[in-house]
Structure formats: structure tokens, C-alpha cells
Amino acid sequence: MSIAQNTETAAKLRCIACGATPDSAGQNFRCAACGDLLEFFFPGWTADSPVFEPAALKALWLKRRTSRDALDQSGVWRFRELLPHIPNLEEHAITLREGNTPLYRLPRCARAAGVENLHAKHQGMNPTASFKDTGMTFAASSAHQGKFRWVACASTGNTSASMAAYAARGNMHSLVLIPEGKISWGKLSQALDYGALTCQLRTDFDGCVRILSDLVRQKPVCLLNSVNPYRIEGQKTAAIELLEQLAWEPPDHIIVPGGNLGNSSAIGKALVEMRELKLISRLPKLSIIQAQGANPFYRCVREFGGKKLDPMTADTLATAIRIGNPASWKKALRVLKATGGEVEQVTELEIAVAKAEIGADGIGCEPASAVTLAGLKKLRRSGFVKPGESVVLILTGHALKDPDFTIKFHRGDLFDGTSDAGTPGAGTPDEAEAAQAKCLQRAPVVLEADLRAVIGALDAAERNS
Ligand code: F0G
């Protein structure tokens, strides 16, 4: 059996609710019959007639790591056999050599969580410093192939940064809709630098999504939010790359933050497909963590048994996941069921402590990524994760995305004006957690420009360490 060529892996679109299989997607990437989301599937990948020989595929992907070809060097396009075919790819592919992100061991966080074997796959090490680049390279390339002049997204910041960069690289114009005041400066500044038309709307993320959905019906712009199934396909590669890094030995658990729920859906889809193609022999449990103040999916599963999603007004300092009406909740639900994963929610204080712990391991991440460690601690306490099980956290954004949060935490004024208890949805402050936060705080020390003062500070730090 040889490696299948693209024609053998032809992908088709299918509605996740009614099963309709349209030949192409409309401007809003929703099913024309019932309005639900579309996904790609691969009719050729049947269990009885496998198209891929797993060992040959793994060897090909490994070989591409030494290639000088731009697509082979991308941690997304290197795995193109598992992605839908884009015609005339050489002409249309837009790549910043995304993917290729490190897998780090987290010894300090492992002790804090009570597990022996803990890793972080740091998707914040992508070109625009978040996981969005893996989906964006693929979706922007498909927009280019579709001859769109304009691409657009609603965003809490990272999607817009990523989209603006890929649009610029592909000579397309980009329109960004972001909630005014509730995104970090780091992310906003990226969109500006990459030349996007950036509109700060006086609403939240969910409000931006509503306006954009109406806009794409009237204007020929390509929607690049994660309802676009090309985004999901590109984001699958984080899971493929992770498994390659683990020598194709699946961890027991993978833990991801949940916002609009595209990423969890993508990683879960990749796991199921890899199992189907016999690239891995078993499925890790994929668990999804939300901030307590932005927990519609948590409530969907825990309160409504997955039957409905009750949209809410979301609030959390982890602004990336400040989302009350996640588009991909049905896809994420399917992933939870398929892998046997859990859903958890964490408080603002738990997020802040977990973020500082990830920082103290010399790694760092943005607040939304830290919900994974905070969630792991809860899943350990509930017994869902056992001490001897292996766990991988997906860190979705770089620490420098939101330095305001970090500085406020270390100065001790992160919750000023809100207090953790006062932050919507934060719940009762946990005293042990608050004490832990104090231990982790490293406020800058302002001193006279005097050697003795610096030595005094050094000696004091040594005594306290
Ligand atoms: N982590 C970070 C850093 C994010 O930026 C996001 C989403 C998520 C987690 C959640 O991922 O939405 O796929 O469940 N950010 C989007 C944005 C919504 O516009 O940048 P999800």
C-alpha cells in the first residue's frame, strides 16, 4: 500500500445535525437546510479498506521535517494527507511556518496538581503567538483559492491577530470586529500592525458575531471564524503533531480551554480520525475547562445533560474565553462523548494562581490557557484524573499576549474593584488559593540606584526562598 494522493482523500461537507452533504458551503458556512454547522468528512476512509499505511504515513511526515519546502516546514501542511484538498495549493497556500510548537514537561505544575506525568503543548509558540495560526493558515489559503478580496472575523483578540497576519501575507484585506475595551492591547496592536480594518464595537464577542453573520449575507467577504470548517481542519494538526511528539503513544488525558469551542472540536476530531486510521491505538480523554463566569458549555453538560445550550452574558478576566454563546457546542459535546472526557469550570482566582504556576515553571501563558491547569487540579480532586495517569495541557496563547493581567497579579491588584468574590461568577474565594496566590506574587521592587540597596533586596529574597 502506498501513501494516498490528495485525490484519494477527497473531503466532503456534511451538516452535523441533519446530515445533508452540500457540494459547497454558503457565505455563513451553515447548512442551507437546517442552519446548523458543517464539517468535513472523508468518505474514502472506511475501516475495511484503509487508504493509508500508518507506518508509511508517519515516516513521510518525519521526513518532511528536513525538507526545504515551505509547506513541508509548516507544522500544519506537513500533515496535509489528513486535510481536505485545496486545488492549486502551490499558488494559494499562505504559510508562516505555523505549528511546530514545543511539548514541555511541567514539573512544578505537576506537583501542584498531584500528577506524575504532566506536559504542556504550547500553541502560544505559533507565529502570532496563539493556536489560531494552525487553523488560519488553512482557512486563509482556502479564502485565497476562492478569490476573496476580503476576509473577516469577530474575535476576542487572537483570531483577529492571526487572521490579519495571514490576510496580509496573502494580499487580502481583513475586517476585524472586536468588543470595545474587553480585549488585551497586545492582541489589538497585532491586528493594527498587520493592517486590518479594526472595528471596536460597543458590545461583547457574541454581539460581534451577530453583526458579522448579518454582514456576510450582504458583502462578499470570507468568514474566518471557527464556524468555517477549514479552520477546524487546520487546528486538527495540533493533535497530530502532539501524538508524533509522544511517539504515537496517546496520553491518558488532554485538557483544553473552552470558549467558542472550535479548538476542542478540532482536537477531538483529529483524535477520532487518527484512531480510525490506526495511527493511534486508543483515544485520550479530552476534557474542556471554562471560566466560571463564562460557563455556558459547563452548564449545558452538567445542568441540561447536553440537551441544550443556554446562552449567557459572559464575564471573566480571561478575556479570550469571554464567550456566552459558543458556536461549536454540539461538535464539542460529540468529542466529550467520543473520548469520555469531562467538563469543568474554574474561578478567577484559580485561573490567576494556575497562570502564575505555569509561569514559575519557566513557560508562561495567557490567562485563558491557564484554565487547563486549574481544571486539572479539580479533575484530580474529583478523582477523574488519577495520580499515575499522563496528562497534556494545551496552552493556547503566549504570556506576552496579556501582560496587564500578569503585572496586576504580581502587584496584588488584579481583583481590585472587583475582588474575586465580586467578579461575576467567581464564587466564594478559597482561602488556601488566596494564600497560594500571595506566595506566587513577585511584585517589582523599587529601590534607590544604590549597590547596598540591591544587595539588601537579594539577601532578603534569599532568606525567603
Ligand atoms: N485560548 C485562547 C488564548 C483563545 O484565544 C481562545 C479563543 C480560546 C482559548 C478558546 O478557544 O474558542 O476554540 O474554544 N479565542 C477566540 C478569538 C474566540 O477570537 O481569539 P475556542
Side-chain angles (χ1 to χ4, degrees):
M1 217 172 341
S2 66
I3 302 293
Q5 297 304 303
N6 280 327
T7 45
E8 296 172 72
T9 60
K12 283 186 73 69
L13 286 166
R14 177 172 61 198
C15 170
I16 61 163
C18 74
T21 54
D23 286 334
S24 62
Q27 294 268 108
N28 63 359
F29 291 104
R30 286 186 177 270
C31 174
C34 78
D36 221 314
L37 296 186
L38 300 175
E39 66 176 352
F40 278 110
F41 75 110
F42 301 84
W45 298 0
T46 53
D48 27 314
S49 62
V51 285
F52 298 119
E53 205 281 294
L57 203 49
K58 290 173 186 177
L60 173 71
W61 291 339
L62 213 50
K63 187 157 161 267
R64 285 189 184 142
R65 295 189 76 114
T66 57
S67 163
R68 288 195 178 82
D69 181 90
L71 289 187
D72 290 349
Q73 287 176 0
S74 157
V76 170
W77 297 97
R78 192 157 71 83
F79 301 108
R80 53 192 174 269
E81 283 71 18
L82 300 201
L83 306 177
H85 175 55
I86 293 182
N88 304 320
L89 188 56
E90 292 70 23
E91 201 184 312
H92 299 297
I94 308 166
T95 176
L96 289 162
R97 318 295 189 275
E98 50 292 313
N100 300 311
T101 58
L103 184 67
Y104 297 122
R105 196 174 266 283
L106 295 180
R108 185 191 167 117
C109 295
R111 280 196 299 281
V115 292
E116 287 151 30
N117 184 352
L118 178 63
H119 284 87
K121 172 114 178 108
H122 206 328
Q123 293 297 92
M125 299 299 184
N126 267 291
T128 76
S130 86
F131 73 99
K132 304 288 182 182
D133 295 342
T134 56
M136 205 54 76
T137 182
F138 203 64
S141 302
S142 86
H144 194 274
Q145 196 272 332
K147 302 218 163 16
F148 280 96
R149 263 172 59 74
W150 280 87
V151 293
C153 73
S155 179
T156 56
N158 280 326
T159 302
S160 50
S162 181
M163 182 190 75
Y166 282 86
R169 295 293 297 173
N171 283 319
M172 294 182 288
H173 301 288
S174 60
L175 168 68
V176 160
L177 302 187
I178 47 173
E180 206 230 331
K182 296 288 183 181
I183 82 163
S184 76
W185 291 114
K187 298 171 189 179
L188 175 60
S189 66
Q190 285 181 291
L192 304 181
D193 220 30
Y194 303 136
L197 167 57
T198 304
C199 302
Q200 295 182 271
L201 304 187
R202 292 193 187 93
T203 178
D204 55 11
F205 169 81
D206 302 293
C208 293
V209 169
R210 281 194 295 274
I211 303 251
L212 188 60
S213 313
D214 291 341
L215 182 106
V216 296
R217 279 195 221 111
Q218 299 189 22
K219 290 283 178 187
V221 298
C222 183
L223 176 65
L224 287 187
N225 276 93
S226 57
V227 295
N228 180 327
Y230 287 95
R231 281 273 311 278
I232 302 291
E233 291 301 306
Q235 283 174 215
K236 289 192 319 193
T237 57
I240 307 172
E241 188 178 85
L242 168 66
L243 265 299
E244 185 188 61
Q245 286 166 318
L246 293 171
W248 303 101
E249 183 55 45
D252 295 306
H253 296 273
I254 297 178
I255 302 183
V256 292
N260 213 18
L261 298 171
N263 201 30
S264 37
S265 302
I267 290 173
K269 187 173 193 280
L271 295 173
V272 169
E273 288 176 0
M274 282 191 280
R275 171 87 185 79
E276 211 170 280
L277 293 169
K278 299 195 167 48
L279 291 161
I280 54 174
S281 56
R282 63 186 172 86
L283 287 176
K285 293 188 175 75
L286 188 128
S287 294
I288 300 173
I289 317 295
Q290 295 205 295
Q292 201 168 301
N295 65 352
F297 188 62
Y298 173 86
R299 290 188 300 118
C300 161
V301 175
R302 294 286 180 100
E303 284 173 30
F304 308 123
K307 300 252 172 345
K308 67 161 185 170
L309 184 122
D310 186 18
M312 65 187 290
T313 302
D315 205 359
T316 168
L317 295 176
T319 51
I321 50 173
R322 196 171 178 273
I323 295 172
N325 190 14
S328 294
W329 68 274
K330 286 185 192 164
K331 288 185 180 179
L333 194 64
R334 225 173 30 178
V335 158
L336 277 194
K337 285 189 183 148
T339 69
E342 253 297 11
V343 57
E344 251 312 342
Q345 62 174 356
V346 292
T347 66
E348 299 293 289
L349 187 56
E350 286 168 332
I351 296 171
V353 167
K355 186 178 123 47
E357 284 170 333
I358 294 166
D361 248 332
I363 305 297
C365 63
E366 70 164 282
S369 309
V371 302
T372 54
L373 177 61
L376 168 61
K377 291 185 201 168
K378 284 204 156 165
L379 295 173
R380 262 294 294 123
R381 287 201 289 275
S382 73
F384 182 75
V385 174
K386 313 272 183 305
E389 290 182 321
S390 54
V391 182
V392 176
L393 309 179
I394 306 293
L395 301 183
T396 44
H398 197 279
L400 291 176
K401 283 283 191 175
D402 193 354
D404 263 8
F405 182 108
T406 310
I407 290 170
K408 283 183 180 160
F409 173 82
H410 287 286
R411 283 191 176 147
D413 53 14
L414 183 60
F415 300 117
D416 275 10
T418 57
S419 91
D420 189 34
T423 303
T428 323
D430 174 343
E431 280 179 18
E433 206 76 27
Q436 225 178 336
K438 278 253 170 307
C439 288
L440 286 159
Q441 278 161 5
R442 296 282 179 274
V445 189
V446 181
L447 299 172
E448 291 306 322
D450 174 64
L451 177 61
R452 272 172 310 173
V454 177
I455 289 177
L458 184 65
D459 289 345
E462 175 62 26
R463 278 194 300 279
N464 293 334
S465 70

